[in-house]
Amino acid sequence: MNTSIYIAKRYLFSKKQTHAINIISGISMLGVLVGSAALIIILSVFNGFEKVILSMYSDFTPEIKIEPRLGKTFDPNTTYLTQLSKDGRVFSYTSVLQERVLIKYGAKPFIATVKGVSDDFLKNRQLDSTIQYGSFTLKDSGYNFAVIGTTLQSSLGVSLKDQFTPLQVYSPSRSSGNSTNPMNDFIFRTIIPSGVFGIQQEFDDLMVTPIEFTRDLLDEPKNVSSVEINFKPGTDVDQVQDEIKEKIGADFVVKNRKEQNTGLYKTINYERWSIFMILTFVLIIAIFNIVGSLTMLVIDKRKDIAILTSLGAHKRLIQGIFFFEGMMISAIGCITGVVLGTIVCLLQLQFNFVKMGAKLSVLDAYPVAFKARDFLLVFVTVSVIAVIASGISARLSVKRLDEIKQDL
C-alpha cells in the first residue's frame, strides 16, 4: 500500500486532538452524501418524466415519418414507397392526410386539425390508453367516426352521449369561385365522435378520422400529407432511417421521433441540465469544506509531520497524505449518497410514496427510471470537484509545513 494512502487512512479514522476537525470532516462527508443522493434522485425522476412523456407522445408519433420537402402533399404510389410498405421489418405503414379545418358543434366553431389515417394506424395497441371517454373507433358498420382531442372537446362542449348532434366539418373548396353565398366556397361534411383522447396540448386539438372521410372533405383522392411507419421490435430504426434517406431521394424529409419533437427533447434536456448545474454548485460548496477540514488537520498533526520530515519524508509524500485524505472523504460520501439515492428511488418505484399532489394529474406519483450514465456522471462530477479541492488542500499543507518547521 502507498505510504501516503496508508497514513491518510489512519488519519481519517483516528481521533483528532481538536474535536472540531471531526465535526468539519463529518459535515463535509455529509454534504457530499446529500449532494450525490440528490443528484441521483433528481436525474432518476427526470428520466421517469422523460420516459412517461415520450411514451405518451409515441402513441401519436411514429418511429419514422416521411414528408414532402416542398409543398403539403405528395403521391405515395411510388415504386420505392410501395416496396417499403411490404418490407418485412415494417409493423405498421400509415398513410396520413392532414389539414386545418373549421369544426362546428351546435353553434360553437373551432379551428382544429383533421388527421385522416389509413387502417394501419389502429395497429398501435397503446391508443386505448389515451382514451378518456368513449373508444378509439374510426369505422363501425360501414360508418365513419371521429376521435377528438380534449382541447377540441372542451372548446366545443362535445357530448358523446348526444348521437343526434354530429360534428360539422368545413374545408375550403378547390373549385371555389365568386359565389353569392360564401358557404358555397366550402366543402361541408358531418361525422359522429366516438371517443375523446388526451395526450399533450400539441395533439389535443386533433380530430382523427378514417382517411376516406378526409379525402372526401379535402377533395384529395390520391395524395397524402405524410407516411408514418412503425417497425417490429428489434429493428434498428436509425439504420432504417439512413437506408430510407439514401433511397427515397432529395424530394422527401425522413424524420425519427426526436426530429419530429425537437422542441420537446430540447426542453427536457434544458431542464435536466439546469437542475444538474444547480445541484453541482451545491456539491462544490459541500466538497470545498474539505479544504477547511484538511487545513485544520495539518495544524493538528504538525508534530507528526515534523517527525515524518526528520525521517526523510519529502514534500510530495506530505502532499499525498492530505490529498488522499480529501479523496477518501469525498469517495465515502459519494458512494454512500449514491446508494442512499438509489434506495430512495427503488422505494418510490415500488411504493409510490411521494405523490404528485394534483388530483387531475395523469401521474399519481413521481415516476422514476434509472440510467447507467447518470451514475457515471455523478461519480465523475464528484471526482473532478474532489480532485480540485483535495489538490488545493495538499498545496496548502506544504505551505503550512514550512511554517511548522519554523515553529518547531
Side-chain angles (χ1 to χ4, degrees), residues 11-232:
Y11 281 174
L12 179 63
F13 296 105
S14 64
K15 291 184 178 180
K16 285 79 174 176
Q17 293 179 4
T18 306
H19 186 63
I21 300 176
N22 290 324
I23 296 175
I24 296 174
S25 297
I27 292 173
S28 301
M29 193 178 296
L30 182 63
V32 179
L33 185 154
V34 172
S36 302
L39 279 174
I40 289 295
I41 293 171
I42 293 297
L43 290 175
S44 298
V45 169
F46 265 96
N47 291 337
F49 276 121
E50 180 181 7
K51 184 178 179 180
V52 170
I53 292 172
L54 295 183
S55 66
M56 293 170 64
Y57 268 71
S58 67
D59 295 335
F60 273 73
T61 304
E63 292 179 305
I64 293 293
K65 186 175 185 178
I66 302 174
E67 298 175 315
R69 188 172 295 277
L70 299 174
K72 288 187 175 182
T73 62
F74 64 95
D75 184 358
N77 299 313
T78 63
T79 303
Y80 175 70
L81 287 176
T82 302
Q83 292 175 349
L84 181 60
S85 66
K86 299 176 182 178
D87 192 308
R89 296 170 294 182
V90 172
F91 174 71
S92 65
Y93 181 96
T94 305
S95 297
V96 176
L97 183 58
Q98 186 167 308
E99 188 57 270
R100 298 289 285 179
V101 295
L102 171 66
I103 301 176
K104 290 182 67 178
Y105 184 76
K108 295 181 179 179
F110 188 81
I111 301 296
T113 301
V114 60
K115 179 175 181 177
V117 296
S118 58
D119 294 342
D120 266 17
F121 184 79
L122 296 177
K123 286 186 177 180
N124 187 345
R125 300 183 183 90
Q126 301 300 319
L127 288 176
D128 288 340
S129 65
T130 67
I131 289 294
Q132 296 189 356
Y133 311 103
S135 63
F136 213 109
T137 303
L138 297 181
K139 293 180 181 179
D140 188 32
S141 302
Y143 292 96
N144 292 325
F145 292 89
V147 182
I148 61 176
T150 53
T151 300
L152 180 56
Q153 186 268 336
S154 60
S155 299
L156 295 179
V158 177
S159 173
L160 299 183
K161 296 179 180 179
D162 183 5
Q163 297 295 313
F164 298 101
T165 306
L167 295 169
Q168 305 169 38
V169 190
Y170 297 85
S171 175
S173 174
R174 291 185 173 189
S175 58
S176 59
N178 297 321
S179 173
T180 56
N181 184 0
M183 293 308 297
N184 292 335
D185 294 335
F186 289 85
I187 298 176
F188 163 70
R189 297 290 182 269
T190 61
I191 192 168
I192 298 293
S194 63
V196 177
F197 66 84
I199 303 177
Q200 290 290 331
Q201 188 174 1
E202 181 181 347
F203 296 104
D204 289 351
D205 69 341
L206 276 178
M207 180 176 73
V208 182
T209 70
I211 195 169
E212 295 83 4
F213 172 85
T214 313
R215 288 195 184 283
D216 182 39
L217 174 69
L218 302 180
D219 192 20
E220 182 60 80
K222 181 176 63 173
N223 287 2
V224 298
S225 303
S226 63
V227 170
E228 299 182 351
I229 308 173
N230 289 305
F231 297 90
K232 295 176 181 178

Side-chain angles (χ1 to χ4, degrees), residues 156-371:
L156 295 179
V158 177
S159 173
L160 299 183
K161 296 179 180 179
D162 183 5
Q163 297 295 313
F164 298 101
T165 306
L167 295 169
Q168 305 169 38
V169 190
Y170 297 85
S171 175
S173 174
R174 291 185 173 189
S175 58
S176 59
N178 297 321
S179 173
T180 56
N181 184 0
M183 293 308 297
N184 292 335
D185 294 335
F186 289 85
I187 298 176
F188 163 70
R189 297 290 182 269
T190 61
I191 192 168
I192 298 293
S194 63
V196 177
F197 66 84
I199 303 177
Q200 290 290 331
Q201 188 174 1
E202 181 181 347
F203 296 104
D204 289 351
D205 69 341
L206 276 178
M207 180 176 73
V208 182
T209 70
I211 195 169
E212 295 83 4
F213 172 85
T214 313
R215 288 195 184 283
D216 182 39
L217 174 69
L218 302 180
D219 192 20
E220 182 60 80
K222 181 176 63 173
N223 287 2
V224 298
S225 303
S226 63
V227 170
E228 299 182 351
I229 308 173
N230 289 305
F231 297 90
K232 295 176 181 178
T235 304
D236 188 337
V237 177
D238 293 332
Q239 180 182 344
V240 174
Q241 183 185 17
D242 293 336
E243 290 179 14
I244 296 174
K245 283 182 177 180
E246 183 180 347
K247 296 178 181 179
I248 201 170
D251 294 334
F252 296 91
V253 178
V254 183
K255 297 180 179 180
N256 58 26
R257 276 184 178 149
K258 285 187 178 181
E259 292 165 342
Q260 294 171 55
N261 299 300
T262 53
L264 172 65
Y265 279 87
K266 285 181 180 178
T267 300
I268 291 174
N269 285 326
Y270 286 154
E271 291 179 350
R272 178 200 302 274
W273 288 110
S274 297
I275 295 296
F276 174 78
M277 292 304 298
I278 292 171
L279 290 177
T280 298
F281 281 119
V282 174
L283 198 59
I284 289 172
I285 295 173
I287 291 179
F288 266 81
N289 284 328
I290 294 173
V291 177
S293 173
L294 295 184
T295 300
M296 294 187 67
L297 183 64
V298 171
I299 298 173
D300 185 71
K301 299 297 183 182
R302 60 186 184 277
K303 291 184 179 180
D304 293 357
I305 294 173
I307 294 172
L308 289 171
T309 304
S310 64
L311 291 174
H314 45 77
K315 290 184 177 181
R316 183 175 296 179
L317 186 144
I318 303 300
Q319 276 186 322
I321 293 173
F322 298 101
F323 175 81
F324 288 116
E325 175 93 4
M327 292 301 296
M328 287 179 184
I329 293 174
S330 300
I332 293 172
C334 179
I335 294 172
T336 307
V338 168
V339 171
L340 179 62
T342 303
I343 292 173
V344 171
C345 290
L346 289 173
L347 290 174
Q348 173 68 8
L349 197 61
Q350 183 68 30
F351 301 106
N352 293 326
F353 58 87
V354 182
K355 303 296 182 181
M356 293 287 291
K359 294 181 179 179
L360 299 179
S361 176
V362 176
L363 299 173
D364 179 50
Y366 282 94
V368 174
F370 294 108
K371 288 185 179 179

